[in-house]
Amino acid sequence: MNISAASHTENSEEVLKNARFIQDVRNQVATVVVGQDEVVERLLISLFTGGHILLQGVPGLAKTLLVSVLSKSIDLDFSRIQFTIDLLPSDILGSQILDQKTNEFVTRTGPVFTNLLLADEINRAAPKVQGALLEAMQERKVTIGNETMSLPAPFLVIATQNPVEQAGTFELPEAQLDRFMLCHRLDYPDPSEEREVLKRNMALGIRKEDRGAVVNTEFDVMKQQPVGSAEDLVNCMQAVNDIHVSDTFLEHVIEVINRTRNHPNIELGCSPRGGIALIKASRARALINGRNYVIPEDLFVLAEDVILHRIRLNYEALADGLTGKSVLQDMLRDLGATPSLISREA
C-alpha cells in the first residue's frame, strides 16, 4: 500500500483558536511534569474524542501527577480512585443506605459521577470491580438499586496499570481492554529529563504547619488556576468532529485493521471498535497539530496505542520469541511507514 497525503491544506481561524487553547494546556502541564509530551498528546486526544485511555508503566513515572495537573488545567470535576484488592463495586458506583429518620433508602452516588475519573492501578482490583467500572465506561449510566442514573458529560476514565507480572495484579481480559480507545505505554525519562526532575524536586522546599513543617511535593506547587474551560473543550470536540477524513484514508484504516485479522502471527485481531478508535484519534491528533484534515502520519503514529492492546499473538509466534509490538511494526513498515513515524522500536 502506498499512502498519499490528503489534499486539503486550508487552516481555518477556528482551528488556530483551538490550537492556542491546546498549547496553553500543554504549557500548564509542563510547569509541573518534565517531558512526557507524547503522553500529554494522548490524553488530549482522549479528552477531545471522549475515548477512555489506559496508561501503562512501572510505578514512579508521574502518571498520577500528570493526570492531576491536566484536570486542574481545565475547569472540570475530578475524582481519583486508588484500586486495591479489597475495593467493592459500591465503592465506585455508589449504594443505597437506610435513612434512620425517614426509614427509607437513600441513594448515595460514588466517585464515578464526575467529569474526569482517575482509576489508579486498575489491575490491583478484583475482576468484579474492574467489570463494574468498565460497564459504566461503556454505557455511561449506573444503576444503583432500582434507580438508573446517567453519568455527567463529559465523562472520561484515565486508568493507570502496572505491568501484570508485578505481584498482586490481575490482568485485564481482551474484551475489557477493548473498551479503552488508547493504551499508552510510558517509558523512563531520558537522562536530561531525569536531571531536570531531580533539580525541581530539590527546589520544592518545606512549609511550616502547626508547630512543625511539611516537605512540599509536586502536588503542592501545582497551579490551581485553569487555563481553559469546559466550553473550550466542547469547541475542540466539535472541531475534531469536523476534521476531514478522505475516502482514501478510510480505506487505509480498513486495510490496517483487516491485516491484523489475517496476519499469520496473530490469533485475535482488531474488533471494529479498533477502526473507529483509529479514525477518532487521528482526527484529534490532526487538530492538536493545527490541521483540519488527517494525514498518513496520524495513522502510523497512533497505531501502536490503538491496535496493540487489541491483538493477541498465536502460540507459534510466542514460541518464536515475537512480540505484538514487533509484529505490528513490521506490518506498518510493509504499509509504507518510515522508522521515524513508529514511535519506539521493539
Side-chain angles (χ1 to χ4, degrees), residues 270-285:
C270 270
S271 68
R273 194 179 283 128
I276 295 170
L278 198 50
I279 291 178
K280 283 184 175 179
S282 295
R283 294 175 110 181
R285 187 176 184 274

Side-chain angles (χ1 to χ4, degrees), residues 31-95:
T31 61
V32 178
V33 180
V34 179
Q36 306 285 17
D37 291 341
E38 194 173 271
V39 189
V40 175
E41 181 188 90
R42 301 304 194 268
L43 289 173
L44 290 174
I45 288 173
S46 297
L47 271 173
F48 298 157
T49 59
H52 309 292
I53 182 171
L54 179 63
L55 301 178
Q56 191 174 50
V58 297
L61 292 180
K63 298 188 289 292
T64 305
L65 178 66
L66 178 62
V67 177
S68 180
V69 67
L70 180 65
S71 70
K72 295 183 188 307
S73 299
I74 305 173
D75 189 19
L76 296 174
D77 292 335
F78 169 68
S79 294
R80 174 181 177 273
I81 303 172
Q82 177 63 54
F83 279 63
T84 56
I85 185 62
D86 58 349
L87 199 70
L88 299 173
S90 59
D91 295 328
I92 301 173
L93 307 180
S95 60

Side-chain angles (χ1 to χ4, degrees), residues 200-254:
R200 289 190 185 187
N201 186 269
M202 288 188 294
L204 289 175
I206 63 172
R207 67 178 187 276
K208 293 183 178 179
E209 282 192 9
D210 298 328
R211 293 185 299 172
V214 177
V215 177
N216 285 324
T217 68
E218 289 83 357
F219 291 92
D220 297 317
V221 301
M222 194 182 302
K223 291 182 180 178
Q224 302 295 323
Q225 183 66 36
V227 296
S229 64
E231 184 180 354
D232 294 319
L233 178 58
V234 171
N235 290 338
C236 284
M237 294 174 74
Q238 181 59 55
V240 167
N241 209 45
D242 295 337
I243 296 290
H244 177 73
V245 179
S246 67
D247 289 342
T248 303
F249 186 89
L250 196 64
E251 290 302 319
H252 295 327
V253 170
I254 294 171

Side-chain angles (χ1 to χ4, degrees), residues 282-330:
S282 295
R283 294 175 110 181
R285 187 176 184 274
L287 176 72
I288 291 171
N289 287 276
R291 288 181 271 112
N292 57 5
Y293 55 91
V294 294
I295 59 175
E297 179 182 314
D298 299 320
L299 188 157
F300 292 137
V301 169
L302 294 169
E304 180 180 315
D305 286 0
V306 173
I307 293 176
L308 198 54
H309 65 290
R310 291 186 160 94
I311 62 175
R312 184 175 65 214
L313 298 187
N314 56 30
Y315 175 78
E316 291 78 9
L318 294 173
D320 290 339
L322 298 178
T323 64
K325 189 171 182 174
S326 63
V327 170
L328 177 60
Q329 290 188 341
D330 285 344

